[in-house]
């Protein structure tokens, strides 16, 4: 099966944008939403958001199409420290086309590698993307 899996390349401008995003100095939540350009078989930038909460981010994601998100989140640790982890969120809603699903699933690892991210999460329903869900997921990285 993996032979037929379509793995898309990552747009070089997007790779550069992700690199800059990683070293941003702002202390607000921010997101880069990416999609696959099917014709070019390329992961490309769809939208950028500054000062966006998980709930607002959820509203930006299509309910029936997969998306990749790199999210810089202001995380308050139990001991009072604040960090800004970069999270990779693969939104793969139930009910999207199988070919689309496979294209995104097949390209996810390459994108994660290019973006050099370690906190990789997947949601099957955009409604699940909440502040509670994210802090719970990040809680495993103490």
């Amino acid at each position: 099966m993996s032979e037929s899996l379509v793995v898309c390349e990552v747009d070089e401008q997007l790779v550069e944008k992700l690199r800059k995003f990683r070293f941003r100095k702002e202390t607000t939540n921010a997101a880069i939403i990416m999609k696959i350009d099917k014709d070019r078989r390329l992961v490309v930038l769809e939208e950028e958001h500054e000062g966006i909460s998980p709930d607002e981010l959820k509203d930006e994601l299509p309910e029936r199409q997969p998306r990749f998100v790199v999210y810089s989140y202001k995380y308050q640790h139990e001991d009072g420290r604040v960090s800004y982890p970069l999270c990779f969120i693969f939104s793969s809603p139930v009910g999207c086309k199988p070919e689309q699903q496979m294209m995104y699933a097949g390209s996810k690892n390459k994108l994660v590698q290019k973006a050099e991210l370690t906190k990789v999460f997947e949601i099957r329903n955009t409604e699940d993307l909440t502040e509670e869900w994210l802090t719970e997921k990040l809680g495993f990285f103490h």
Side-chain angles (χ1 to χ4, degrees):
M1 171 113 169
S2 61
E3 286 82 60
S4 64
L5 207 54
V6 178
V7 178
C8 299
E9 290 302 315
V10 182
D11 182 24
E12 279 309 313
Q13 290 172 321
L14 178 59
V15 172
E16 189 53 38
K17 187 172 283 295
L18 289 168
R19 201 169 287 130
K20 285 186 177 131
F21 190 70
R22 169 188 287 281
F23 297 110
R24 67 194 275 280
K25 299 286 181 250
E26 292 82 358
T27 55
T28 55
N29 293 346
I32 291 181
I33 300 176
M34 297 154 284
K35 65 179 182 178
I36 288 180
D37 178 329
K38 211 167 71 177
D39 300 332
R40 294 166 44 210
R41 293 186 180 214
L42 201 61
V43 179
V44 297
L45 173 71
E46 182 174 52
E47 298 177 319
E48 289 180 85
H49 296 277
E50 196 60 55
I52 186 169
S53 72
D55 283 324
E56 292 165 329
L57 179 58
K58 163 179 63 186
D59 295 337
E60 294 298 324
L61 298 174
E63 285 178 33
R64 296 259 179 260
Q65 292 180 340
R67 285 297 182 269
F68 298 124
V69 179
V70 175
Y71 190 48
S72 176
Y73 177 68
K74 184 175 181 176
Y75 181 65
Q76 185 86 38
H77 296 267
E78 287 170 9
D79 62 7
R81 289 175 304 122
V82 174
S83 63
Y84 300 89
L86 275 186
C87 310
F88 182 90
I89 302 168
F90 175 31
S91 171
S92 177
V94 177
C96 46
K97 296 180 188 146
E99 77 201 41
Q100 228 183 3
Q101 192 91 29
M102 282 178 62
M103 211 175 216
Y104 275 82
S107 303
K108 180 182 102 176
N109 290 344
K110 183 169 209 147
L111 182 55
V112 167
Q113 219 176 343
K114 287 265 190 192
E116 300 174 32
L117 297 170
T118 53
K119 295 168 180 65
V120 180
F121 311 127
E122 189 168 326
I123 55 172
R124 300 287 290 161
N125 181 343
T126 53
E127 290 303 307
D128 295 343
L129 182 54
T130 61
E131 191 109 25
E132 294 73 31
W133 175 83
L134 194 56
T135 52
E136 182 186 313
K137 291 287 188 190
L138 288 168
F140 295 115
F141 289 94
H142 287 305

